[in-house]
Amino acid sequence: MFSALNELVSTVLFTVLGYQVTMLELVAVIASAIGVWLGTTGKRIMWPWWGLSSALYGWLFFNYDLYASASLQIAFIAAAIWGWFGWGPQGANSRNLSWTLRAIILTAGTATWLLITPLLVSIGAAAALPDAFGLVFSIVAQVLMVLQFRENWVVWLIVDALYVGLYWSQELKFTSLLYVVFTAIALRGWINWKKLQRTEIQ
């Protein structure tokens, strides 16, 4: 049954400039685009879309041996549940990190990235170095978003730009183009969340 379902969603729907777009990738792209755009508004309704797109992309990335990206989707699903209950009906109340917390997060994130990369290499993961970076700092961005820190959009901007190149190199061209859009949306999110900003954590 699982193989039949996998064959169904892997069916090519159309071809763009020689690239075959499957049903799974198309639906994942649509769900993800909706979720990310809603995230820029700080509205709680983003989280169900975030969870759905994460489940779809987890499946897609696993099929391409992008194990860090696939594992990341599990964290995203958990964050979607956390965000739904954490934000409450009112949505996000944006706040800023202090410079001290920014330095701690950057240092810890970089150390974790460098530790995870050899592990991914050992299991034969594709593009281990950039995929590990994306894994670590996507989790950082996701946690900052759930906790309603505006800096999440800066981290997303960097991660999304990296994913443009990573997914293009792995022949996920439709998803790569989506991340071009995500990079622009991250900038929009930074601007929008300024309007929601209320407090700063020291």
Side-chain angles (χ1 to χ4, degrees):
M1 179 180 177
F2 181 78
S3 60
L5 183 58
N6 193 45
E7 184 178 345
L8 174 64
V9 297
S10 298
T11 300
V12 175
L13 295 179
F14 56 89
T15 301
V16 179
L17 300 177
Y19 177 69
Q20 297 180 328
V21 179
T22 65
M23 181 184 300
L24 175 58
E25 188 173 6
L26 178 62
V27 175
V29 163
I30 293 171
S32 190
I34 292 171
V36 171
W37 179 256
L38 288 173
T40 68
T41 69
K43 293 180 180 176
R44 187 188 187 201
I45 192 60
M46 69 162 282
W47 293 116
W49 287 99
W50 202 279
L52 172 62
S53 66
S54 298
L56 294 169
Y57 265 119
W59 193 352
L60 180 69
F61 292 145
F62 185 79
N63 288 329
Y64 278 80
D65 297 333
L66 290 167
Y67 300 133
S69 290
S71 300
L72 176 61
Q73 306 312 307
I74 298 173
F76 281 173
I77 292 169
I81 297 169
W82 180 17
W84 175 262
F85 291 104
W87 281 16
Q90 79 284 353
N93 294 317
S94 175
R95 51 188 177 164
N96 283 340
L97 290 167
S98 68
W99 282 105
T100 300
L101 284 176
R102 290 174 184 174
I104 291 171
I105 290 169
L106 179 60
T107 301
T110 301
T112 305
W113 166 41
L114 296 176
L115 286 171
I116 287 176
T117 300
L119 175 62
L120 290 175
V121 171
S122 71
I123 62 174
L129 188 66
D131 204 21
F133 181 93
L135 169 66
V136 172
F137 285 98
S138 289
I139 291 175
V140 168
Q142 185 70 88
V143 171
L144 291 178
M145 176 177 275
V146 171
L147 296 176
Q148 304 172 55
F149 287 110
R150 185 179 175 223
E151 286 83 357
N152 82 84
W153 292 110
V154 176
V155 183
W156 281 129
L157 182 67
I158 296 167
V159 170
D160 291 344
L162 174 137
Y163 276 143
V164 170
L166 173 61
Y167 295 143
W168 188 273
S169 72
Q170 298 303 308
E171 298 301 319
L172 286 167
K173 294 181 180 178
F174 202 53
T175 294
S176 175
L177 294 175
L178 172 67
Y179 272 84
V180 172
V181 176
F182 281 177
T183 303
I185 289 177
L187 179 59
R188 181 65 182 175
W190 171 257
I191 295 169
N192 283 0
W193 276 42
K194 177 66 174 178
K195 301 171 186 175
L196 305 174
Q197 189 173 316
R198 304 211 180 153
T199 57
E200 181 170 351
I201 299 300
Q202 301 297 331

